[in-house]
């Protein structure tokens, strides 16, 4: 009997209906039976990072973020690239993880949904920050799965069976993590 693994799905975009959200919602839909997922929804509610506030008592949204990371066996991130790097709100989330130990040694992967030739800046920045947090990057689970709005089905999920299968593979790699 396979061990059930919990993967926290973390979007890097605040935009409702973004392709990044679509990728993560698709991940939840195609997760193998041995994988449960939770979609993190607190990005917009996080306060601006300030090292002076990274002490007890932490702001409640930060407590919730760190608890969600702690409860997960692995993390899957899907973020857009803004101006050649990570969106500010998502970088803020990552900054709040540096002072905690919850992400340390935790398997982490990401899916870059950007069109070919785009998104490298976000990938590079994400890798740099995650290494600073001590995350255990799963190289084979850090992939490009391009998805544009035309590839989103009426159910709000990736329509292409090959895209869905690739997203499922990433989850399996993280679960094995």
């Amino acid at each position: 009997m396979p061990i059930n693994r919990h993967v926290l799905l973390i979007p890097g975009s605040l935009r409702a209906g973004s392709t990044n959200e679509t990728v993560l919602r698709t991940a939840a839909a195609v997760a193998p039976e041995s994988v449960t997922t939770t979609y993190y929804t607190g990005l917009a509610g996080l306060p601006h990072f300030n090292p002076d506030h990274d002490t007890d008592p932490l702001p409640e949204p930060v407590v919730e973020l760190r608890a969600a990371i702690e409860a997960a066996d692995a993390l899957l991130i899907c973020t857009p690239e803004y101006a050649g790097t990570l969106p500010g709100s998502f970088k803020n989330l990552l900054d709040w993880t540096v002072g905690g130990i919850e992400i340390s040694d935790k398997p982490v992967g990401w899916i870059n949904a950007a069109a070919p030739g785009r998104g490298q800046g976000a990938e590079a920045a994400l890798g740099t920050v995650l290494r600073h947090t001590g995350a255990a990057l799963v190289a084979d689970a850090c992939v490009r799965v391009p998805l544009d709005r035309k590839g989103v089905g009426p159910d709000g999920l990736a329509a292409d069976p090959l895209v869905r299968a690739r997203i499922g593979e990433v989850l399996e790699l993280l679960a094995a993590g």
Side-chain angles (χ1 to χ4, degrees):
M1 177 183 255
I3 296 172
N4 193 35
R5 305 287 287 174
H6 177 223
V7 177
L8 181 63
L9 308 173
I10 304 177
S13 176
L14 292 172
R15 184 177 182 190
S18 73
T19 53
N20 299 280
E21 179 182 328
T22 297
V23 165
L24 294 177
R25 300 258 184 228
T26 301
V30 302
E33 284 187 29
S34 62
V35 176
T36 59
T37 62
T38 300
Y39 187 88
Y40 177 73
T41 60
L43 180 62
L46 289 169
H48 295 292
F49 178 74
N50 179 339
D52 293 338
H53 300 152
D54 196 6
T55 59
D56 287 326
L58 288 168
E60 190 58 31
V62 176
V63 171
E64 292 169 3
L65 167 65
R66 290 184 179 178
I69 293 170
E70 179 68 29
D73 296 307
L75 310 177
L76 176 59
I77 296 166
C78 191
T79 184
E81 177 179 278
Y82 292 157
T85 191
L86 298 170
S89 56
F90 182 63
K91 175 62 167 66
N92 183 59
L93 176 148
L94 293 172
D95 287 343
W96 279 113
T97 69
V98 173
I101 60 167
E102 299 81 11
I103 203 169
S104 184
D105 297 323
K106 192 162 300 251
V108 178
W110 68 73
I111 296 176
N112 181 340
R118 299 184 65 193
Q120 297 91 329
E123 283 184 21
L126 185 56
T128 297
V129 175
L130 289 172
R131 281 187 283 283
H132 279 284
T133 67
L137 291 176
V138 179
D140 290 340
C142 297
V143 301
R144 293 179 153 268
V145 183
L147 180 68
D148 63 24
R149 296 211 184 283
K150 292 180 276 183
V152 180
D155 58 358
L157 304 176
D160 184 330
L162 295 176
V163 168
R164 294 169 70 98
R166 184 65 178 125
I167 293 169
E169 290 169 7
V170 169
L171 277 175
E172 288 177 15
L173 288 166
L174 286 173

